[in-house]
Amino acid sequence: MKILDVTKSLCPYCFKRIDADIVEDNGKIYMDKTCSDHGKVRVLIWSDASTYQEWGKYSEHAPRNEGGHPTEKECPYDCGYCNEHRGSTCTSVIEVTKRCNMNCSVCFASANAIGDNLSLSKIQEMIDYVAETQGFCSLQISGGEPTLRDDLPEIVSYAKKIGFKHVQVNSNGIRLASDLAYVKSLADAGTDLIYLGFDGIDDGIYEKIRNRKMIDVKKGCIGNCEKAGIGVMLVPVIIKEENDDQIGKIVKFAKAHMPTVKGIHFQPASTFGRYEMTENHENRYTIPDLIHDLETQTDREIIADYIVPRKKKSPYCSFSSTYYLNFDNNLVALTRRDGNISLKVPVMSNSKMEKFARNTNNFTEKYWKQNSVEASNKDSELATFSKRLRTYSLSISAMPFQDVWNIDINRVKGCCVSVIHESLTTIPLCLNYLTDTKGRRLYEEGVCCYESNK
């Protein structure tokens, strides 16, 4: 066993801040930590030790966020943000409702049918707060199920009017599949992307994970988005030995539904909310598992060399890759880890909040928005290729959220995805939904509950 790094983490039983080691053992990477009250914990965080240190070379440390408030209790108990947070926000999430028309067994928000809606004026205040404190980053309207609100187009329209370039709606697709007029109203309001839950192409998968058949709903949603001119991002939650055999099928489905489908954002399951993982953490689905499955299940149409680790603070939080679909129906990489491919995605800057948000928006505008450009017979070969490239691009990315078992405080400090609360506080997404072994949350409505949970 070899210790590669030291950090801070939390006890999964009591939320106490404790020391943690990142260790290599038997070809895998683990987090080892010990609580004085609850004993030792070991959790798998990276299933292929041979790639772990290579990915570590891509880390870019951002400066401290001078705009945060002073710390009193130390990270992670001072969020809102505190001044220990580093880096800028790439995506802000606003939950406009706690209501939902499903009851999924995997739901980190623990949404239900009787949740509350925020008032339109409060949501507008929260959107203003994001603009003032985090710039015009990407904005995700979420829930619950936000399409249960009839005034959702008004929310999107307000965000676009004050200057947000990219506004996406997180949805299960039920209303979007059955109400074309509503989808068109979202398009008219300026919605750039539907962030669509999509766990596979087999209804048996949805019956296990979402408690109902859903594939016809997903297809109907995509069809209506095509008619309305809104792009769709497929968002699969991947659970080992449940739907990890669906990776290649999801890529094939995405190709068949381009250019409406603009990408796939894989989310390996974490222990949040209603999803309970067994304490056998050897069974975790990690980034190397996903890359392996992408390679093997697509017959190496997608390979590891095309996949770029996140460069914002921690490369272990996520990856991204971008492709275009050529005229032979093959995905051609526009990204490569060594940077040798000339057609590259914009380089993200860590220097200033405005520049970071602008670069992020440029990427989403170019690759995620539904901008279909048809080639004509008069086009030159180069012009035809250029239009194909603009229209038939596909982003493949992943972000396995941290949970109470594997949370690394150093990574939390660099988180660029945040949830905005009614109280006008900003909580990193992983902390926002963090629950202990008894289902108690570390943060409730933007307020730390650590003392009350003791």
Side-chain angles (χ1 to χ4, degrees):
M1 187 178 76
K2 178 182 178 182
I3 296 177
L4 302 179
D5 199 4
V6 294
T7 185
K8 297 288 184 180
S9 187
L10 296 175
C11 172
Y13 302 95
C14 67
F15 283 139
K16 183 191 299 182
R17 177 174 154 131
I18 56 178
D19 294 331
D21 294 330
I22 308 299
V23 303
E24 179 181 343
D25 194 5
N26 198 28
K28 298 180 181 181
I29 306 298
Y30 297 88
M31 174 181 282
D32 284 350
K33 53 188 180 180
T34 302
C35 174
S36 58
D37 296 321
H38 298 100
K40 295 181 179 180
V41 171
R42 165 171 279 202
V43 56
L44 177 69
I45 60 174
W46 202 263
S47 60
D48 180 10
S50 67
T51 62
Y52 184 81
Q53 289 182 300
E54 177 193 348
W55 276 53
K57 297 174 184 177
Y58 290 86
S59 178
E60 293 180 5
H61 291 264
R64 178 170 295 194
N65 179 6
E66 299 297 343
H69 62 75
T71 56
E72 297 178 1
K73 305 174 186 176
E74 72 185 352
C75 184
Y77 309 125
D78 281 305
C79 268
Y81 283 141
C82 77
N83 59 16
E84 287 190 21
H85 202 84
R86 292 164 169 79
S88 304
T89 300
C90 58
T91 301
S92 286
V93 180
I94 294 180
E95 297 178 340
V96 298
T97 182
K98 295 188 182 301
R99 292 188 298 139
C100 191
N101 49 6
M102 294 184 69
N103 187 32
C104 302
S105 57
V106 177
C107 179
F108 58 66
S110 298
N112 56 65
I114 57 173
D116 297 325
N117 282 345
L118 291 175
S119 69
L120 181 59
S121 60
K122 170 54 71 173
I123 293 168
Q124 291 173 338
E125 182 184 4
M126 294 162 72
I127 292 172
D128 290 339
Y129 169 78
V130 174
E132 293 167 4
T133 61
Q134 294 157 57
F136 292 111
C137 57
S138 292
L139 186 68
Q140 182 178 111
I141 307 302
S142 189
E145 174 52 46
T147 64
L148 292 180
R149 295 188 65 125
D150 292 333
D151 63 354
L152 182 59
E154 294 178 62
I155 296 170
V156 173
S157 179
Y158 180 80
K160 299 293 282 192
K161 181 179 70 175
I162 69 168
F164 283 90
K165 284 207 60 156
H166 182 82
V167 179
Q168 56 185 255
V169 171
N170 186 358
S171 180
N172 57 33
I174 292 175
R175 182 171 185 178
L176 303 180
S178 61
D179 191 344
L180 178 58
Y182 185 76
V183 179
K184 287 182 175 178
S185 70
L186 287 174
D188 292 341
T191 304
D192 296 292
L193 188 77
I194 300 300
Y195 202 70
L196 179 67
F198 193 92
D199 303 320
I201 64 167
D202 180 355
D203 262 334
I205 298 295
Y206 292 101
E207 288 180 303
K208 286 191 292 185
I209 297 178
R210 306 296 175 183
N211 302 321
R212 58 167 286 178
K213 294 179 178 179
M214 288 291 288
I215 191 60
D216 286 342
V217 168
K218 305 302 180 181
K219 291 178 179 178
C221 172
I222 293 168
N224 280 345
C225 286
E226 179 181 9
K227 294 172 185 174
I230 304 178
V232 175
M233 177 71 70
L234 306 181
V235 187
V237 173
I238 302 298
I239 303 173
K240 195 168 186 177
E241 298 176 356
E242 292 282 353
N243 66 334
D244 53 337
D245 63 340
Q246 297 283 301
I247 304 296
K249 296 175 183 177
I250 292 171
V251 173
K252 185 176 180 180
F253 180 94
K255 288 170 59 178
H257 290 82
M258 293 174 70
T260 300
V261 170
K262 307 305 296 180
I264 311 167
H265 186 65
F266 292 100
Q267 293 181 346
S270 300
T271 302
F272 279 143
R274 283 198 290 266
Y275 178 58
E276 296 182 6
M277 187 182 294
T278 67
E279 294 192 19
N280 175 20
H281 295 290
E282 284 285 345
N283 208 38
R284 281 185 175 254
Y285 192 76
T286 68
I287 282 180
D289 299 316
L290 176 56
I291 294 174
H292 173 268
D293 287 341
L294 278 168
E295 287 191 317
T296 58
Q297 293 182 31
T298 64
D299 294 325
R300 291 183 59 80
E301 186 174 13
I302 295 168
I303 63 173
D305 286 346
Y306 303 158
I307 291 170
V308 181
R310 176 193 186 222
K311 296 181 180 179
K312 185 85 173 144
K313 182 62 178 176
S314 174
Y316 305 116
C317 281
S318 64
F319 69 70
S320 63
S321 53
T322 308
Y323 309 81
Y324 84 94
L325 190 69
N326 68 15
F327 292 101
D328 295 325
N329 201 42
N330 295 318
L331 292 174
V332 179
L334 303 180
T335 50
R336 188 176 175 124
R337 203 175 310 163
D338 60 16
N340 286 337
I341 292 179
S342 59
L343 294 168
K344 293 183 288 185
V345 298
V347 176
M348 300 301 181
S349 168
N350 293 323
S351 58
K352 293 182 179 180
M353 175 177 68
E354 294 84 359
K355 190 172 182 180
F356 180 64
R358 185 169 64 250
N359 283 341
T360 303
N361 286 331
N362 287 342
F363 176 85
T364 55
E365 180 80 9
K366 185 174 182 180
Y367 294 108
W368 288 7
K369 193 171 182 177
Q370 179 67 308
N371 289 321
S372 296
V373 182
E374 296 300 328
S376 72
N377 293 331
K378 296 180 181 180
D379 287 335
S380 67
E381 185 176 350
L382 180 60
T384 299
F385 168 76
S386 177
K387 290 181 178 180
R388 179 79 179 183
L389 186 65
R390 287 177 59 190
T391 304
Y392 284 85
S393 61
L394 188 74
S395 169
I396 297 180
S397 57
M399 182 175 286
F401 300 133
Q402 298 182 87
D403 57 37
V404 74
W405 296 95
N406 62 12
I407 189 164
D408 182 335
I409 301 305
N410 285 337
R411 284 174 56 184
V412 169
K413 290 180 180 180
C415 181
C416 74
V417 181
S418 58
V419 180
I420 311 303
H421 286 272
E422 185 177 0
S423 57
L424 302 184
T425 51
T426 304
I427 312 296
L429 189 143
C430 294
L431 282 188
N432 188 75
Y433 298 109
L434 206 70
T435 49
D436 66 10
T437 55
K438 295 181 181 179
R440 300 174 299 187
R441 294 180 63 159
L442 179 63
Y443 277 87
E444 288 280 2
E445 302 301 332
V447 178
C448 182
C449 303
Y450 172 60
E451 294 297 331
S452 62
N453 282 339
K454 283 185 175 181

